[in-house]
Amino acid sequence: MRNILIAIIMALSGLFATPAFCGDKIIARSEKKIPQWLATQPEGYIIVELERETMEEAQQAAISEIARRIITSVALNVSHSSKSSASEIRNGSSLESQELFYTDTEINSAYLPFIKGVALSRAEGIYWEKRERKESKDIYVVYSVLYPFPASELNDMCRNFETLDKKKNDELASLRQNIGLVDSTDAIDEATAALTSLHSYFFDKIRKNEAMDLKKRYLSLYKRISITGNVDRRKKEIVCLTELDGRPVKTSGRVSLKSGCASKLEAIPSSDGRSFKITYSDEDCLDWEENTIEITIKSNGGTFRKTFIIN
């Protein structure tokens, strides 16, 4: 993380600048005097000053800005050890290749527990002024917040973030390693759901892209699932397997059966779920016609079909 801070600082520098209000008239203010903390930078605090058209907009913007400052502080103090991120830093020279979760605070805050507690009720100082623009006479609000952020709180956030990020990175590595061991369609569904969540969480482009690419690889497994089976015309049954690249896999979809002549069709699953037996009656089938039974299995990710000739 320490290696990609230039991008954050450059991106934030424009946001933190104090607005210029030269010549504008103050028509209302929250206090008679400007608080002293606005002219200083007290240790253990975040100070935010911004301009918006309405008070409500200013309050919402202040919360977002405080969240961004906290995220940046965590980024500055966390050393990211992800191999993929390190590779990105070595190979990328543009700010685009050094994206951080900062750019989508509103989205990624759901995955960063330490952001959820940000609220103006925690502020130790709030000062606002309503001003009238000299030329246009438009009214706007200058809103300032003194928000407590002691070093102890920052340290706790850094530790929690490192734990969370390592967990997410390990989860990605496990999904990458286990794609060749998939033994059920449920496992594919679970993996794709997990990778969707990881893609939303990751803030560096390398891991974000890897999560999406791995999800596509898992989804492609559905196309490689097939139904195989042997027809026992004497017993009037078909023993079927669902296979992925020749390996038996368990499918959770419902089995549908269709035939132009066979009756009493029934699908009986095995105890392990990796095979099933089809029983039928061919008493209404004519020997000189091609008599078939079509088997269809529908799952979340695909539909699998196989037609067996029974005469």
Side-chain angles (χ1 to χ4, degrees):
M1 181 82 68
R2 209 183 304 276
N3 295 324
I4 46 181
L5 297 176
I6 296 175
I8 312 175
I9 294 168
M10 291 183 67
L12 295 176
S13 58
L15 293 172
F16 298 163
T18 302
F21 313 112
C22 296
D24 291 349
K25 180 182 178 182
I26 299 174
I27 59 175
R29 59 182 8 163
S30 59
E31 299 177 27
K32 289 183 178 181
K33 293 183 178 181
I34 297 174
Q36 187 177 0
W37 52 263
L38 260 178
T40 62
Q41 179 58 61
E43 187 176 349
Y45 290 89
I46 293 172
I47 296 179
V48 167
E49 184 177 9
L50 47 81
E51 170 197 339
R52 290 296 184 274
E53 296 303 313
T54 67
M55 187 69 71
E56 183 179 354
E57 289 176 358
Q59 290 170 338
Q60 291 301 319
I63 292 172
S64 296
E65 185 70 3
I66 292 166
R68 288 190 177 101
R69 299 280 189 99
I70 291 173
I71 287 175
T72 305
S73 297
V74 174
L76 284 165
N77 287 274
V78 172
S79 178
H80 197 292
S81 59
S82 165
K83 180 180 178 182
S84 58
S85 294
S87 174
E88 179 186 24
I89 295 156
R90 286 195 301 271
N91 297 331
S93 58
S94 67
L95 294 182
E96 183 181 2
S97 72
Q98 299 177 18
E99 286 178 341
L100 267 183
F101 53 78
Y102 153 76
T103 56
D104 266 326
T105 303
E106 293 80 5
I107 296 173
N108 285 293
S109 62
Y111 300 91
L112 302 172
F114 52 79
I115 297 302
K116 294 183 179 180
V118 174
L120 291 180
S121 59
R122 290 192 60 200
E124 292 189 11
I126 293 177
Y127 175 75
W128 56 262
E129 295 178 351
K130 282 189 177 180
R131 301 196 182 198
E132 182 182 79
R133 299 189 193 280
K134 185 177 180 180
E135 300 297 332
S136 65
K137 305 301 181 183
D138 292 336
I139 305 299
Y140 65 94
V141 176
V142 179
Y143 199 84
S144 305
V145 181
L146 176 68
Y147 196 86
F149 191 48
S152 58
E153 190 172 342
L154 172 60
N155 291 336
D156 287 342
M157 289 180 180
C158 291
R159 283 192 294 269
N160 291 339
F161 175 72
E162 285 182 314
T163 300
L164 173 65
D165 197 62
K166 183 180 184 304
K167 179 182 176 182
K168 298 293 186 181
N169 207 50
D170 290 347
E171 187 178 354
L172 178 64
S174 177
L175 289 165
R176 186 194 311 121
Q177 182 177 354
N178 293 330
I179 190 169
L181 305 176
V182 168
D183 61 356
S184 68
T185 54
D186 284 347
I188 299 175
D189 294 341
E190 291 167 5
T192 53
L195 287 163
T196 298
S197 177
L198 287 172
H199 177 266
S200 297
Y201 164 79
F202 287 136
F203 47 85
D204 57 280
K205 185 171 287 188
I206 292 293
R207 289 187 300 173
K208 204 171 186 69
N209 288 345
E210 182 178 359
M212 183 55 64
D213 290 342
L214 191 55
K215 177 182 176 180
K216 291 177 182 177
R217 288 176 59 195
Y218 268 96
L219 288 172
S220 71
L221 295 179
Y222 282 112
K223 297 178 181 179
R224 289 149 53 186
I225 293 176
S226 60
I227 302 173
T228 63
N230 295 309
V231 179
D232 189 326
R233 295 176 178 82
R234 183 177 60 83
K235 293 183 178 181
K236 304 295 187 290
E237 65 181 32
I238 309 170
V239 178
C240 300
L241 287 171
T242 46
E243 295 182 338
L244 169 62
D245 296 338
R247 294 182 291 107
V249 291
K250 185 177 180 179
T251 56
S252 57
R254 187 173 63 88
V255 179
S256 300
L257 305 172
K258 185 173 69 174
S259 176
C261 67
S263 59
K264 300 178 183 178
L265 297 167
E266 185 179 5
I268 305 168
S270 64
S271 58
D272 63 6
R274 289 181 170 83
S275 63
F276 54 94
K277 180 170 65 176
I278 307 299
T279 59
Y280 63 92
S281 170
D282 61 358
E283 59 187 358
D284 296 323
C285 298
L286 301 175
D287 289 342
W288 57 85
E289 294 182 345
E290 185 174 79
N291 304 311
T292 61
I293 295 176
E294 182 183 84
I295 300 171
T296 302
I297 303 175
K298 290 186 177 181
S299 70
N300 290 336
T303 300
F304 320 114
R305 287 190 177 87
K306 179 72 174 180
T307 299
F308 292 94
I309 297 173
I310 60 173
N311 66 321

